[in-house]
Amino acid sequence: MAETELAKVYEPHAVEERWYRTWEGEGFFRATLPSDRTPYSIVIPPPNVTGALHMGHALNNTLQDILCRWQRMRGCNVLWMPGTDHAGIATQNVVERQLAAEGKDRHELGREQFIERVWQWKAESGGQIIGQLKRLGASCDWERERFTMDDGLSTAVREVFVRLYEEGLIFRDNRLINWCPRCHTALSDIEVEHEEKAGHLWHLRYPVVDQPGRFVTVATTRPETMLGDTAVAVHPEDERYRDLIGRKVLLPLLNRQLPVVADEYVDREFGTGVVKITPAHDFNDFEVGRRHGLDLINVFDESGVVNAAGHQYEGLDRFAARKQVVADLEAQGLLAKVQDHAHALGGCYRCKTVVEPYLSLQWYVKVAPLAEPAIAAVREGKTRIVPQQWENTYFDWMENIRDWCISRQIWWGHRIPAWYCDHCGEVTVAKVDPTACTHCGSDELRQETDVLDTWFSSALWPFSTMGWPERTPELAAFYPTSCLVTGFDILFFWVARMMMMGLHFMGEVPFRDVYIHALVRDAQGQKMSKSKGNVIDPLTVIEEYGTDAFRFTLAAFAAQGRDIKLAEERIAGYRNFANKLWNAARFTLMNLEGFEPAAVDPASLETSNADRWILFRLNETAREVGEALTAFRFNDAASALYRFTWSEFCDWYIELVKDDLYRGDPARRTTARYYLWLVLEHLLRLLHPLMPFITEEIWQALPKGGRQPAVGGRQQGVAPSLMRAEYPRPRPEWEAYRSGAAEMELVMAVIGGIRTIRGEMEVPPSREIAALLDCGSLASLKLLKHNEAYIVSLARLGSLGIGIGLEKPADASVQVAGDVQVLVPLKGLVDVEAEEKRLLKEIGKIDKEIELFSRKLENPSFIDRAPAEIVAKEREKLAEVTTTKRVLEESLEKIRRLK
Ligand SMILES: [Zn+2]
Ligand SMILES: [Zn+2]
């Protein structure tokens, strides 16, 4: 019974630190195996090991934590699987930058030493985000934390690679790929960010061979690629050029002869209808080249510098080569014209360097056969995407999916388990490093130097983290996972690929639900970015307002399909909410001194209207929150909790029971204490998933009743932590208070009516007034008589008359509540002279405003020039002040009648 006293002011940091340590230390985040409780599992979208917590992570992990805490309290055996991603290029870049600062580069170190250096970096400074997730309150099962390059996950990667290779779903091919000349690696289609950029269209003249004086003009946005031209093409039905087909043109500068081919790909409307064909440097031209058996001439090296195939341009960077080629063509009179031309330019998603289509030998996953079951699984509802509109995006992409280029020319990552034999030239792909060629037995083997796309290992995350390819108890209990919480930006990078891999290797979808949340933007709806300077740092916010206020804000704004416009004032607002809860708890605790809930037999208590009302509302809130969380409507859960806590519990119930606590008879006092305790205790449990820290701190200070069985019914008696207490479920006996609650709402409406009149008449709160309640029915009369004490006390009345058919004083102000007329006689209540003066002054002010708006709206130049919505706004404002004036005039009339 040693209830702790709560500090006067809630100080989040010490509380957060203390409870997190306790929860983690006691193993409350751990999933237990074996277990007869219902499993519930979520795999975390693994943040990059280089990552620092940003708003996106904060939202994503807050929502996951809400679900996990809620399901734990509902009795589930929850596994929230945490971990980090090795993040190939990103991490390699970090360490390369470090080396550069020391005046070194990775090639000096060599592959092995470089990789060692990356591991060393990871050990020292990688994974700081894990500590930041803990500050957010994330209740992950940290003992199971994984890393995409740890031994177990690396085994899974090899297993998958070898199996897909053996099934013919992984192959090697010489194709055009997207190439980053800065990162020196291939990029998959979705790693290229397309952006509309201003550019030029250069029109180049190529002389026709054997027809002196005749030229064809081709248009291009990348003139330097002409060095790699191996044909020009026209449309087969283009009359203008029919005679050219089969002839040759001369490639200027390099003086190479190019055939003229006919291909339906050519758009007759574009430029002159003749196009240059550069199969090694353009995706469409590559296809044309394939159809016509054209040569592929690669004119760039891996840095985008012209190679020997470019003859006199060798050694020039691609953009320098562009300038030189254009200048030389111009000098020879072969530049027909230059037009401004905006076009989409692909940039590397890591470094923004302009991506080059580049011919190279790469490894691919043949995706179409894997996509098919992944499409079917969503169509059949085995996996549900919420909000549902994202399903269409998913289908669109999956139905048009192209082979996935999985090799990357970097060092940090899973090295491809393929070995080339120098003796017979065959390739050996194996789970275990081979010592000899499987084809000829030679031991002259070289391992592939490429590593896998970082998304290859994360595609296996839902099952590789649980120990696959072993058949582990984790997989048996927790796969398929219950839910994936993620942003739409990685729907294709990650979610789609997990679907494909999960179905292929586990024979089952990786998750039942995929909840796609919105983006966090700034208050104006702009994307947060360092360059705009509008970034809100989650850790700064946590420092300033406390974790719970921050989490509650994120939940409150997480409406489906709508981006979150986050302003710091919002978070400050929810800090006030936390403080309101804290103060209510302090009040409750002060009144519970020596109180032992276990000693109270609830059946013996005589409940008041107010008690029945708050129990009904508590019950409704529990129902609403449960329904909202089930449907991933986090904002609805937050708003139901906010309303109940602030308006119903703090503003009404606490006020209603004060009298009982201070002046009630002993029985009534016990009842009030009991329900005050009970409602707060339930409220804390309801709030816990959203605000874990403050609720635990208060809950621990409350007297324990031993009435709530701990989760799972396993432990008897009181739960050791709020985390382990049961989540309140709607109870039929409280649902039955519905009509009692409606009665109380009438009492509250009556009190509200009197308060409205007090407000309108500006009667100071300390001043007691008189009121009359004219009831429309016997039931109301009885009810109000019964609750007279509440009305007198909460409306601060000096006298109260309740009756039916009461005579209405002429000077009374009237409010209506249900079938009750609330009458407050004004005579003697207000200083008529002063009030009249005040109202006249107000009306004077309003008149000026009305004049201002009217003049503006009568001004033709404003009406004509201002945007329609601005004019509409002004009209609205005018209507508003006109209404205000009418209300003031009515009050003035009333006041004058009192004279
Ligand atoms: Zn790059
Ligand atoms: Zn061999």
Side-chain angles (χ1 to χ4, degrees):
M1 257 317 303
E3 67 250 36
T4 335
E5 199 171 302
L6 293 180
K8 212 166 164 142
V9 176
Y10 179 57
E11 301 282 2
H13 302 303
V15 170
E16 290 167 12
E17 212 271 330
R18 177 156 41 83
W19 284 119
Y20 199 90
R21 203 168 358 99
T22 307
W23 294 330
E24 196 178 5
E26 297 286 326
F28 293 159
F29 301 156
R30 220 177 302 156
T32 48
L33 282 172
S35 165
D36 49 17
R37 284 177 290 147
T38 313
Y40 182 89
S41 55
I42 291 186
V43 291
I44 202 169
N48 286 352
V49 66
T50 51
L53 192 78
H54 57 58
M55 273 299 163
H57 296 124
L59 171 67
N60 178 256
N61 287 288
T62 295
L63 301 184
Q64 289 178 77
D65 195 52
I66 290 172
L67 292 174
C68 287
R69 287 180 183 270
W70 174 55
Q71 295 289 0
R72 247 182 237 116
M73 293 176 77
R74 293 178 83 206
C76 289
N77 183 26
V78 171
L79 170 60
W80 183 9
M81 178 70 82
T84 49
D85 191 279
H86 68 281
I89 299 180
T91 311
Q92 175 152 333
N93 284 351
V94 169
V95 178
E96 281 193 82
R97 272 200 298 276
Q98 274 187 356
L99 287 176
E102 297 165 19
K104 289 190 239 166
D105 76 19
R106 68 181 159 114
H107 299 282
E108 278 168 57
L109 249 64
R111 185 168 190 139
E112 253 162 60
Q113 271 205 340
F114 177 78
I115 290 173
E116 217 165 274
R117 179 83 193 242
V118 182
W119 279 109
Q120 193 190 325
W121 170 86
K122 178 189 179 277
E124 284 161 12
S125 34
Q128 57 157 333
I129 193 164
I130 297 297
Q132 297 169 337
L133 288 174
K134 291 181 178 183
R135 288 210 58 190
L136 196 64
S139 60
C140 300
D141 190 344
W142 296 112
E143 286 168 37
R144 287 188 164 89
E145 184 187 335
R146 303 306 296 263
F147 177 55
T148 47
M149 282 215 348
D150 67 24
D151 289 342
L153 270 64
S154 299
T155 305
V157 164
R158 275 215 177 179
E159 180 79 25
V160 165
F161 187 94
V162 172
R163 282 208 216 164
L164 290 176
Y165 181 78
E166 285 168 356
E167 291 167 39
L169 293 175
I170 281 185
F171 62 95
R172 222 176 157 219
D173 197 13
N174 207 9
R175 297 184 181 184
L176 272 199
I177 41 95
N178 302 294
W179 180 265
C180 175
R182 200 217 66 88
C183 300
H184 286 176
T185 183
L187 298 170
S188 72
D189 290 341
I190 49 176
E191 285 169 325
V192 178
E193 289 172 348
H194 293 277
E195 213 186 318
E196 191 78 0
K197 285 261 168 70
H200 296 97
L201 197 58
W202 282 272
H203 296 254
L204 318 179
R205 301 188 337 137
Y206 291 6
V208 179
V209 174
D210 294 334
Q211 288 190 325
R214 188 174 178 195
F215 293 89
V216 295
T217 302
V218 296
T220 177
T221 56
R222 292 148 69 220
E224 68 283 4
T225 62
M226 61 91 70
L227 301 172
D229 283 1
T230 56
V232 296
V234 296
H235 194 277
E237 282 149 31
D238 194 335
E239 294 300 335
R240 291 173 292 176
Y241 304 115
R242 185 154 282 192
D243 71 308
L244 271 182
I245 299 167
R247 301 191 78 98
K248 294 215 150 83
V249 298
L250 190 70
L251 181 68
L253 308 180
L254 299 188
N255 294 322
R256 197 165 64 224
Q257 292 200 353
L258 310 175
V260 179
V261 299
D263 196 284
E264 299 202 331
Y265 147 73
V266 178
D267 177 1
R268 275 172 282 184
E269 309 296 316
F270 180 75
T272 58
V274 187
V275 297
K276 59 195 274 306
I277 301 295
T278 323
H281 293 287
D282 181 280
F283 288 101
N284 292 314
D285 293 5
F286 180 78
E287 300 299 327
V288 175
R290 265 201 177 169
R291 285 197 285 276
H292 298 273
L294 299 175
D295 288 342
L296 294 148
I297 301 180
N298 183 4
V299 297
F300 297 131
D301 71 5
E302 56 180 26
S303 300
V305 172
V306 178
N307 62 22
H311 297 277
Q312 65 266 40
Y313 300 96
E314 183 178 359
L316 288 182
D317 171 77
R318 51 187 170 147
F319 298 110
R322 174 175 299 177
K323 275 204 187 120
Q324 195 57 52
V325 163
V326 169
D328 291 350
L329 286 169
E330 192 170 16
Q332 296 183 23
L334 296 174
L335 182 65
K337 62 173 170 176
V338 185
Q339 284 175 295
D340 286 337
H341 180 73
H343 59 118
L345 211 55
C348 168
Y349 83 117
R350 278 283 162 223
C351 73
K352 314 294 171 209
T353 299
V354 175
V355 163
E356 199 65 43
Y358 193 67
L359 185 67
S360 73
L361 190 57
Q362 302 285 345
W363 291 87
Y364 291 88
V365 173
K366 190 173 183 177
V367 188
L370 298 170
E372 222 169 275
I375 293 168
V378 174
R379 288 222 190 277
E380 289 159 17
K382 287 180 185 151
T383 293
R384 196 165 63 111
I385 301 180
V386 182
Q388 209 192 350
Q389 79 241 30
W390 287 109
E391 287 189 357
N392 292 328
T393 315
Y394 173 84
F395 292 138
D396 268 359
W397 192 72
M398 291 295 259
E399 279 157 6
N400 297 297
I401 200 162
R402 300 212 295 175
D403 290 341
W404 173 18
C405 175
I406 50 170
S407 42
R408 296 292 182 274
Q409 289 66 49
I410 55 173
W411 287 348
W412 177 242
H414 298 101
R415 193 162 169 179
I416 290 179
W419 285 262
Y420 304 107
C421 174
D422 284 336
H423 193 70
C424 73
E426 290 289 336
V427 180
T428 300
V429 167
K431 287 180 213 169
V432 184
D433 294 11
T435 51
C437 171
T438 46
H439 306 275
C440 73
S442 161
D443 61 359
E444 290 170 60
L445 292 178
R446 283 174 300 111
Q447 188 177 357
E448 169 63 86
T449 52
D450 289 356
V451 300
L452 288 165
D453 177 4
T454 198
W455 297 99
F456 191 89
S457 49
S458 37
L460 320 179
W461 189 248
F463 53 92
S464 64
T465 49
M466 295 189 200
W468 188 90
E470 306 281 319
R471 294 165 64 131
T472 61
E474 280 84 356
L475 281 171
F478 295 113
Y479 190 97
T481 63
S482 315
C483 177
L484 179 79
V485 178
T486 186
F488 64 84
D489 49 337
I490 50 176
L491 185 60
F492 306 136
F493 276 117
W494 193 45
V495 181
R497 285 161 178 173
M498 283 191 286
M499 286 291 289
M500 296 191 276
M501 293 298 195
L503 281 159
H504 194 72
F505 288 97
M506 297 297 297
E508 201 24 302
V509 292
F511 9 76
R512 296 284 175 223
D513 287 332
V514 176
Y515 175 66
I516 308 240
H517 57 70
L519 283 180
V520 183
R521 296 173 176 274
D522 76 3
Q524 277 72 47
Q526 303 255 14
K527 206 168 169 178
M528 289 189 189
S529 79
K530 277 196 191 120
S531 56
K532 279 188 216 143
N534 61 350
V535 173
I536 305 179
D537 174 13
L539 295 169
T540 313
V541 163
I542 286 174
E543 259 332 298
E544 172 107 31
Y545 304 101
T547 301
D548 287 326
F550 178 45
R551 287 171 58 118
F552 200 89
T553 311
L554 292 173
F557 282 84
Q560 280 183 18
R562 218 179 311 144
D563 281 346
I564 297 176
K565 291 184 190 169
L566 189 68
E568 259 195 74
E569 299 92 273
R570 307 288 197 176
I571 308 167
Y574 288 109
R575 179 196 42 201
N576 298 344
F577 175 64
N579 290 340
K580 181 100 176 171
L581 175 69
W582 187 257
N583 292 335
R586 277 176 49 82
F587 170 84
T588 304
L589 278 167
M590 265 185 275
N591 284 287
L592 292 181
E593 222 166 292
F595 177 73
E596 285 185 56
V600 176
D601 173 12
S604 73
L605 298 178
E606 202 176 307
T607 56
S608 68
N609 276 115
D611 301 330
R612 290 192 288 274
W613 167 74
I614 198 72
L615 291 174
F616 175 75
R617 288 300 312 148
L618 173 68
N619 206 51
E620 285 292 287
T621 305
R623 190 178 51 72
E624 282 172 45
V625 173
E627 286 172 1
L629 290 180
T630 305
F632 302 103
R633 288 185 282 104
F634 296 93
N635 57 323
D636 289 342
S639 75
L641 286 165
Y642 186 91
R643 189 192 54 227
F644 180 79
T645 307
W646 192 295
S647 325
E648 297 177 332
F649 181 64
C650 296
D651 283 356
W652 276 108
Y653 188 68
I654 286 186
E655 293 306 314
L656 286 166
V657 296
K658 269 182 182 166
D659 240 31
D660 299 329
L661 291 169
Y662 300 150
R663 288 181 286 273
D665 61 56
R668 184 54 215 144
R669 191 156 170 258
T670 302
T671 310
R673 288 171 102 191
Y674 180 77
Y675 286 120
L676 195 56
W677 167 80
L678 179 129
V679 173
L680 177 61
E681 202 272 344
H682 277 70
L683 173 59
L684 294 171
R685 285 193 270 147
L686 285 170
L687 274 169
H688 178 77
L690 286 84
M691 304 181 107
F693 296 107
I694 191 173
T695 51
E696 178 81 286
E697 180 74 0
I698 298 171
W699 189 82
Q700 293 285 348
L702 277 183
K704 299 295 180 296
R707 308 203 115 263
Q708 301 79 44
V711 160
R714 197 169 286 279
Q715 292 143 301
Q716 291 305 311
V718 182
S721 156
L722 183 51
M723 269 194 76
R724 288 290 186 92
E726 192 182 358
Y727 205 71
R729 290 162 209 258
R731 290 161 62 156
E733 69 269 32
W734 291 350
E735 164 68 28
Y737 288 146
R738 183 181 291 275
S739 61
E743 286 177 1
M744 191 61 205
E745 270 156 19
L746 180 64
V747 176
M748 287 157 66
V750 164
I751 296 168
I754 301 171
R755 285 176 173 172
T756 303
I757 297 170
R758 293 186 71 113
E760 276 175 1
M761 293 300 151
E762 301 198 331
V763 180
S766 55
R767 180 152 176 205
E768 290 186 342
I769 60 173
L772 295 170
L773 304 177
D774 188 11
C775 302
S777 65
L778 211 57
S780 298
L781 178 78
K782 258 174 84 182
L783 175 73
L784 296 179
K785 281 250 187 234
H786 191 69
N787 289 284
E788 201 171 347
Y790 287 141
I791 301 169
V792 168
S793 132
L794 267 68
R796 291 203 61 83
L797 299 180
S799 77
L800 173 62
I802 306 175
I804 291 180
L806 293 179
E807 198 183 327
K808 213 193 252 178
D811 62 344
S813 199
V814 185
Q815 287 279 322
V816 176
D819 66 355
V820 181
Q821 295 226 22
V822 179
L823 307 163
V824 175
L826 295 178
K827 195 132 205 176
L829 191 62
V830 284
D831 179 342
V832 177
E833 302 296 329
E835 186 61 12
E836 187 179 12
K837 230 162 121 191
R838 184 186 72 85
L839 285 168
L840 284 169
K841 203 170 143 203
E842 287 285 315
I843 291 169
K845 262 198 266 170
I846 287 284
D847 276 336
K848 277 200 196 108
E849 283 186 46
I850 291 178
E851 200 192 320
L852 214 71
F853 286 122
S854 310
R855 217 185 300 146
K856 208 168 180 183
L857 286 165
E858 281 157 19
N859 180 354
S861 78
F862 170 73
I863 300 289
D864 294 344
R865 256 183 267 147
E869 67 262 31
I870 301 278
V871 177
K873 267 231 174 90
E874 293 294 305
R875 280 195 211 286
E876 250 171 59
K877 281 187 204 156
L878 176 61
E880 224 168 80
V881 288
T882 312
T883 314
T884 310
K885 184 180 174 183
R886 198 163 50 237
V887 172
L888 288 170
E889 279 174 343
E890 276 167 19
S891 300
L892 185 65
E893 239 173 82
K894 266 190 208 166
I895 284 290
R896 282 182 170 156
R897 261 186 265 131
L898 297 180
K899 273 187 174 174

